[in-house]
C-alpha cells in the first residue's frame, strides 16, 4: 500500500504428488501483524478446501512479509523458477517482460465481470489486463472526537475548515493538529491524496491518458498551500513532515496526540485498541469534499513459465468466490475487490463490515497509483525521498515538483524504449 500491513514471515509446507497430478505454487504476502493472524492461516485453509474438491491438484503456498515478498518473487523469476502465482505489490514489470498470462487466459468470464471496474482497469498493461486486484483500501480523514470536543470544533469539509480546525487544536495544546506524513515510508500516498483534493484540475500524478503531470499548476498550488497554511503556521506537529513516517503518525494518533490525519482501514483497529474515540469523514477538498479518494490495491498474477493455465484459472476462480473474498476482507480489515462481496459488505451493518463502510463508499470513485506504468516504481521512490522538501518553510514547491516531473518523464521514456 505501500502495501497493506504484512509483518511476519512464514513458509507453506511442501508435498509431492503423483505424476498425473499438478502442483501449483503460490507466493503470497502476509497481511497479519503476528503469527496468530498470519495470512498463512487463511491460505492454508483455503488451499485445503480447494484440494478436497480437486484431488488432482496440490496447492503449495509460501507466505512472506511485505518486507520480503516482492524480493522473493523476483529472486525466483531471476533464477528461472517462477511461481505459478504471486500475490504481491506490483505486476507491470513482469507483464512488460512477457512473463504473465493475460487475465482472460485464466479466469472465467463470470469472475472477470465481478471485479470492480476501476480496479480491473488498473491491472492493464498496454490495454491488456495482467494484474488481478486482490485486496483494496481507500483513505478517509480520521479525527480525534475527544480533542475536537475540547476545541469546540466540527469535522472539516474544506481546506479552510481544516486549517481553522488545526489552529483551534493547536491553541488547546494538541501535539499534532494535523499529522502530515511525507517521510520516506509512504509519502507517495499522502501526496496523492492531497493532489486529488486540490481542485482546479488536480489529477494526482497523471492526467486522464496516463501522462505524468506532477508539476501541474494545480499540484504546485496544492503544495504551496500546505507549505504556507499548515507547515508554515506550525500546525503539523514537532516532527518535520519530510521526516514523519506514516507508521509513526498512526501510532501518535492511537496515543491521542493527533487531531486529524489521513488514514486507511488498519488505523481503526490500532486506535480502538488504545481506546481513542475517533470519527471518519471524506478528505476535504479546496472548496468542498475532495474529487476522489486515493485507492490502493495489491495484485495477483499468473506466471507462464510452467504452464498450468487451466489449473491456475480454476484455483483463482475459487479464490475470488464471494465467500472467500469476504472472509479475507473481514479478517484483515480490507475492502473487497469484487462487486458481489462489496455489495454483501455494504448491506451488512455488523462488526467489521460496518466499520469499513466509510472506506467502501469511497472505493467506486477512488483513483489508484499509475501502477500500469513500469516507471511508477522509480517515480514512487523519488517522491518518497524528495516531496517533504516541498513544504519546508521557504522551500520551493514548484522546484521540487519540477524535479520529480523530470524524473518521471525520464523513467517513462526509459521504460517504454
Amino acid at each position: 500500500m505501500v502495501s497493506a500491513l504484512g509483518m511476519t514471515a512464514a513458509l507453506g509446507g511442501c508435498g509431492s504428488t503423483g505424476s498425473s497430478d499438478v502442483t501449483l505454487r503460490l507466493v503470497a504476502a502476509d497481511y497479519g501483524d503476528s503469527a496468530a493472524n498470519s495470512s498463512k492461516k487463511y491460505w492454508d485453509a483455503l488451499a485445503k478446501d480447494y484440494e478436497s474438491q480437486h484431488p488432482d491438484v496440490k496447492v503449495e503456498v509460501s507466505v512472506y512479509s511485505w518486507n520480503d515478498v516482492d524480493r522473493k518473487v523476483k529472486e525466483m523469476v531471476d533464477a528461472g523458477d517462477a511461481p505459478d502465482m504471486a500475490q504481491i505489490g506490483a505486476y507491470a514489470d513482469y507483464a512488460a517482460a512477457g512473463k504473465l498470462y493475460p487475465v482472460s487466459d485464466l479466469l472465467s468470464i463470470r469472475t472477470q465481470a465481478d471485479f470492480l471496474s476501476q480496479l480491473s482497469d488498473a491491472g492493464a498493461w498496454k490495454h491488456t489486463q495482467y494484474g488481478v486486484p486482490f485486496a483494496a483500501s481507500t483513505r478517509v480523514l480520521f479525527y480525534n472526537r475527544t480533542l475536537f470536543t475540547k476545541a469546540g470544533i466540527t469535522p472539516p469539509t474544506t481546506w479552510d475548515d481544516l486549517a481553522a480546525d488545526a489552529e483551534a487544536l493547536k491553541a488547546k495544546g494538541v501535539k499534532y493538529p494535523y499529522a502530515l506524513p511525507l517521510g520516506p515510508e509512504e509519502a507517495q500516498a499522502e501526496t496523492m491524496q492531497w493532489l486529488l483534493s486540490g481542485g482546479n484540475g488536480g489529477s494526482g500524478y497523471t492526467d486522464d491518458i496516463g501522462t505524468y503531470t506532477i508539476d501541474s499548476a494545480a499540484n504546485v498550488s496544492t503544495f504551496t498551500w500546505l507549505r504556507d497554511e499548515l507547515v508554515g503556521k506550525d500546525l503539523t506537529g514537532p516532527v518535520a513532515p519530510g521526516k514523519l513516517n506514516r507508521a509513526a503518525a498512526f501510532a501518535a494518533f492511537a496515543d491521542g496526540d493527533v487531531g486529524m490525519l489521513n488514514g486507511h482501514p488498519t488505523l481503526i483497529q490500532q486506535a480502538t485498541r488504545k481506546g481513542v474515540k475517533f470519527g471518519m469523514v471524506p478528505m476535504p477538498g479546496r472548496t468542498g469534499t475532495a474529487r476522489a479518494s486515493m485507492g490502493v490495491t495489491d495484485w495477483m498474477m499468473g506466471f507462464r513459465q510452467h504452464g498450468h493455465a487451466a489449473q491456475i484459472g480454476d484455483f483463482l476462480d475459487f479464490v475470488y468466490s464471494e465467500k472467500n473474498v469476504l472472509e479475507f476482507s473481514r479478517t484483515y480489515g480490507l475492502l473487497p475487490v469484487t462487486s458481489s462481496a462489496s455489495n454483501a459488505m455494504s448491506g451488512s451493518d455488523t462488526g467489521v463490515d460496518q466499520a469499513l463502510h466509510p472506506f467502501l463508499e469511497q472505493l467506486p470513485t477512488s483513483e489508484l497509483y499509475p501502477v500500469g506504468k513500469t516507471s511508477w516504481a522509480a517515480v514512487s521512490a523519488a517522491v518518497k525521498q524528495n516531496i517533504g522538501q516541498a513544504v519546508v518553510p521557504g522551500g520551493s514547491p514548484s522546484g521540487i515538483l519540477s524535479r520529480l516531473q523530470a524524473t518521471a518523464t525520464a523513467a517513462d521514456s526509459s521504460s517504454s524504449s
Side-chain angles (χ1 to χ4, degrees):
M1 333 205 162
V2 103
S3 299
L5 292 183
M7 310 271 299
T8 60
L11 287 175
C14 297
S16 60
T17 58
S19 59
S20 62
D21 295 340
V22 168
T23 297
L24 298 178
R25 292 183 303 154
L26 166 64
V27 176
D30 196 346
Y31 291 81
D33 56 9
S34 68
N37 70 346
S38 169
S39 298
K40 178 168 166 36
K41 288 190 172 183
Y42 171 83
W43 284 114
D44 282 352
L46 188 144
K48 183 177 180 181
D49 190 8
Y50 183 79
E51 290 168 354
S52 71
Q53 302 171 44
H54 302 81
D56 56 336
V57 177
K58 169 80 173 173
V59 182
E60 291 181 359
V61 185
S62 300
V63 175
Y64 298 97
S65 78
W66 274 111
N67 294 331
D68 300 321
V69 68
D70 290 289
R71 175 177 54 83
K72 290 286 188 181
V73 172
K74 185 177 186 303
E75 288 172 353
M76 294 172 73
V77 173
D78 289 350
D81 189 24
D84 296 287
M85 297 164 285
Q87 185 270 299
I88 52 179
Y91 69 87
D93 284 352
Y94 296 124
K99 296 186 180 297
L100 302 181
Y101 283 113
V103 172
S104 58
D105 286 0
L106 300 174
L107 298 178
S108 69
I109 292 174
R110 179 177 179 177
T111 299
Q112 291 179 65
D114 197 25
F115 289 109
L116 297 170
S117 60
Q118 87 276 21
L119 302 183
S120 290
D121 291 346
W125 179 78
K126 290 195 172 179
H127 310 295
T128 298
Q129 187 185 352
Y130 294 93
V132 187
F134 183 71
S137 72
T138 57
R139 299 291 197 274
V140 299
L141 186 77
F142 283 71
Y143 65 96
N144 183 309
R145 289 184 183 276
T146 303
L147 298 180
F148 266 56
T149 298
K150 288 180 180 177
I153 54 178
T154 57
T157 58
T158 67
W159 285 5
D160 286 347
D161 293 344
L162 188 147
D165 284 351
E167 288 276 14
L169 291 162
K170 179 186 175 184
K172 290 294 184 181
V174 175
K175 190 172 181 180
Y176 293 90
Y178 179 87
L180 183 66
L182 295 176
E185 178 198 359
E186 207 178 28
Q188 84 286 359
E190 184 75 12
T191 295
M192 184 164 174
Q193 187 60 69
W194 278 99
L195 297 184
L196 289 172
S197 68
N200 299 327
S203 60
Y205 292 107
T206 61
D207 62 17
D208 290 342
I209 60 172
T211 302
Y212 284 111
T213 54
I214 297 173
D215 63 348
S216 69
N219 290 349
V220 171
S221 175
T222 291
F223 270 81
T224 301
W225 187 90
L226 286 171
R227 180 196 65 185
D228 296 344
E229 302 301 324
L230 289 187
V231 182
K233 293 182 177 178
D234 197 25
L235 301 177
T236 53
V239 179
K243 295 185 183 302
L244 181 65
N245 280 327
R246 192 269 312 162
F250 278 21
F253 186 85
D255 287 339
D257 291 333
V258 174
M260 301 172 277
L261 85 171
N262 280 318
H264 55 61
T266 58
L267 184 54
I268 294 174
Q269 297 174 340
Q270 194 172 346
T272 300
R273 280 198 299 266
K274 290 289 193 77
V276 171
K277 295 179 180 177
F278 62 89
M280 299 177 287
V281 294
M283 175 65 181
R286 190 180 292 272
T287 56
T289 300
R291 179 172 64 81
S293 173
M294 186 193 73
V296 178
T297 189
D298 298 319
W299 301 99
M300 179 73 76
M301 62 212 70
F303 283 86
R304 291 178 175 272
Q305 183 176 355
H306 301 294
H308 303 155
Q311 292 86 355
I312 292 171
D314 191 69
F315 176 68
L316 291 181
D317 282 341
F318 180 76
V319 168
Y320 285 102
S321 68
E322 179 182 328
K323 169 182 173 290
N324 289 328
V325 171
L326 278 171
E327 182 180 350
F328 184 88
S329 300
R330 288 164 172 162
T331 299
Y332 296 104
L334 292 163
L335 304 182
V337 296
T338 61
S339 296
S340 59
S342 291
N343 291 339
M345 186 174 278
S346 295
S348 167
D349 58 3
T350 58
V352 174
D353 291 0
Q354 186 174 36
L356 291 174
H357 282 179
F359 301 91
L360 204 57
E361 290 164 6
Q362 305 258 34
L363 190 57
T365 57
S366 66
E367 295 194 16
L368 280 70
Y369 301 130
V371 290
K373 298 170 78 68
T374 55
S375 56
W376 170 241
V379 174
S380 176
V383 171
K384 290 177 185 180
Q385 292 302 320
N386 296 293
I387 195 64
Q389 300 170 36
V391 297
V392 298
S396 172
S398 62
I400 296 298
L401 293 178
S402 293
R403 272 173 37 199
L404 290 170
Q405 177 68 31
T407 297
T409 301
D412 218 19
S413 175
S414 174
S415 67
S416 61
S417 60

